Amino acid sequence: MSVERLQPITKIKRQQSRSSWHKAMACPKLILSCLLLQLMFSFLVLKVAHGQGLEVGFYQKACPNAEAIVKEVIGQVMSVAPSLSGPLLRLHFHDCFVRGCEGSVLLNSPTNQSEKDAPQNHNLRGFQTIDRVKTALEKACPGIVSCADILALVARDVVVATGGLFYDVETGRRDGCVSILGEASNDLIPSTANITTLKADFAKRGLSVKDLVVLSGGHTIGTSHCTAFSNRLYNFTGKGDTDPTLDSNYIARLKLSCKPNDQTTLVEMDPGSVRTFDIKYFDLIAKRRGLFTSDAALLDDSQTKAYLDFQIKTGGSTFFKDFGESMVKMGRIGVLTETAGEVRKVCSKVN
């Protein structure tokens, strides 16, 4: 074979070699692009799952005095009705644990089928205070601050008003348009829950065992109807007996206030300290005087019990800071942000 005939073949091989090299280089670039897209998608999923879209100071430009207005109204309310501190804190909890923190607990239903109509919510109070805050905000900044954010800000402000530590509240939530009685009945954790149920229900909302015990400390302020714990006094196992894990002297004391089938009487959850945000309720739990089965259950887990013991021993050295952090975490559950939902003009009805 002549040299002339070899040259074209060599040229072809070189071209094939260059083509293979370019293809080889293209593959890593394609893989890199795919990985970047995958990472971007994962980030967006995490953003939704962890309540991103919220930020401290969300209303700084659109309604710069929003938090100051909330604080002022709550200060006025607490000066004349300090007993509302617990109920107002509870509203935020009951909102977040059903459908997420999107204000659905505030909605009315013409057929009495909304969340507030569920048996577990019959004793909720503070709705008029939320309406009062909303009215003040609408006057200053019409259509800007959501009812869901009002619940979160009010919860923080009642904690501070009763002696708790200030914490920054993330805002930017929008309001949901759906409120269903059955969901509240199914999703709210009963006061009779054991430690297994408590841990599972908190975990599915992205909350840790530490969050569970910390947020239970919110029972340091407020009252409860006898119906939430009367089974521990009169019919714990269906045989007319009392709960053996509840201090017998405390049972006798509670029976003086709560008669069988009492539907109306209110009892202090933290007797003698009901209007002060402190760690005394942890002391009561350790002494087997926690009002609810769900509180007594905190002694049945090594991690929750260790936290209780540490706070009691150190005088609540980290509890106040921990409470703020756990409230922020809870406030991220199932939030609606950006274009989802709406900003209600009136908290009890959709626009």
Side-chain angles (χ1 to χ4, degrees):
M1 187 179 291
S2 68
V3 174
E4 287 79 4
R5 293 186 65 187
L6 280 172
Q7 285 178 340
I9 295 173
T10 304
K11 187 176 182 182
I12 291 170
K13 285 184 177 179
R14 284 174 180 168
Q15 289 174 342
Q16 288 176 338
S17 177
R18 288 194 190 102
S19 176
S20 298
W21 182 83
H22 284 299
K23 286 180 181 178
M25 289 303 294
C27 285
K29 288 180 180 178
L30 183 62
I31 292 169
L32 183 60
S33 298
C34 290
L35 284 172
L36 286 172
L37 286 171
Q38 207 167 22
L39 284 170
M40 287 173 66
F41 178 75
S42 299
F43 173 75
L44 289 172
V45 170
L46 285 171
K47 191 174 180 181
V48 173
H50 290 85
Q52 298 301 314
L54 302 180
E55 60 180 287
V56 174
F58 179 83
Y59 298 109
Q60 191 58 48
K61 291 183 179 179
C63 189
N65 294 322
E67 295 195 26
I69 291 170
V70 176
K71 181 181 178 182
E72 181 180 3
V73 174
I74 292 305
Q76 294 168 354
V77 171
M78 290 296 98
S79 67
V80 296
S83 63
L84 281 175
S85 58
L88 288 169
L89 177 60
R90 188 182 178 207
L91 276 177
H92 187 38
F93 276 77
H94 281 232
D95 182 42
C96 291
F97 272 70
V98 183
R99 300 187 72 85
C101 310
E102 35 75 273
S104 55
V105 73
L106 302 173
L107 287 172
N108 289 333
S109 163
T111 57
N112 300 321
Q113 292 298 308
S114 66
E115 290 175 27
K116 63 168 63 172
D117 298 305
Q120 298 93 321
N121 284 335
H122 281 173
N123 297 321
L124 287 180
R125 296 186 295 142
F127 295 107
Q128 291 180 336
T129 299
I130 301 301
D131 291 339
R132 182 172 168 179
V133 173
K134 180 62 171 174
T135 298
L137 287 167
E138 285 297 303
K139 184 178 180 180
C141 316
I144 299 297
V145 183
S146 70
C147 299
D149 275 343
I150 290 172
L151 286 173
L153 291 167
V154 166
R156 187 269 309 281
D157 288 347
V158 297
V159 168
V160 175
T162 52
L165 193 67
F166 178 90
Y167 58 92
D168 287 320
V169 173
E170 295 174 340
T171 45
R173 298 169 189 80
R174 287 170 64 85
D175 299 320
C177 302
V178 177
S179 185
I180 301 172
L181 183 155
E183 291 184 348
S185 296
N186 293 331
D187 294 344
L188 289 173
I189 303 174
S191 60
T192 55
N194 60 30
I195 192 64
T196 302
T197 298
L198 289 168
K199 289 168 69 174
D201 280 359
F202 270 67
K204 72 181 182 182
R205 292 171 172 86
L207 299 175
S208 67
V209 176
K210 180 182 178 182
D211 294 322
L212 162 61
V213 62
V214 169
L215 293 174
S216 296
H219 288 160
T220 184
I221 55 175
T223 57
S224 170
H225 282 80
C226 296
T227 50
F229 58 88
S230 60
N231 68 309
R232 303 185 76 193
L233 309 181
Y234 296 106
N235 198 28
F236 189 63
T237 64
K239 300 178 181 179
D241 53 345
T242 59
D243 183 351
T245 67
L246 188 60
D247 177 72
S248 58
N249 291 326
Y250 195 40
I251 289 175
R253 179 178 169 181
L254 289 171
K255 282 185 173 182
L256 294 175
S257 300
C258 298
K259 303 304 179 184
N261 302 314
D262 187 333
Q263 303 287 319
T264 58
T265 302
L266 286 169
V267 173
E268 295 179 353
M269 291 190 288
D270 190 354
S273 183
V274 67
R275 295 178 184 176
T276 304
F277 195 89
D278 53 29
I279 65 158
K280 290 185 179 178
Y281 198 63
F282 286 163
D283 288 323
L284 290 175
I285 293 174
K287 294 174 181 176
R288 298 193 301 120
R289 292 191 169 200
L291 202 56
F292 310 117
T293 302
S294 57
D295 290 323
L298 298 177
L299 297 174
D300 297 332
D301 177 83
S302 59
Q303 189 174 344
T304 54
K305 186 178 184 302
Y307 185 87
L308 287 174
D309 292 341
F310 177 75
Q311 296 306 326
I312 293 169
K313 182 179 179 180
T314 62
S317 60
T318 66
F319 169 65
F320 297 100
K321 178 176 176 292
D322 292 342
F323 190 81
E325 291 175 353
S326 292
M327 286 292 284
V328 170
K329 284 182 66 176
M330 185 185 77
R332 296 170 180 162
I333 298 173
V335 295
L336 302 176
T337 59
E338 298 176 354
T339 58
E342 64 179 15
V343 175
R344 291 183 214 139
K345 296 176 182 177
V346 177
C347 288
S348 60
K349 61 182 182 181
V350 297
N351 294 340

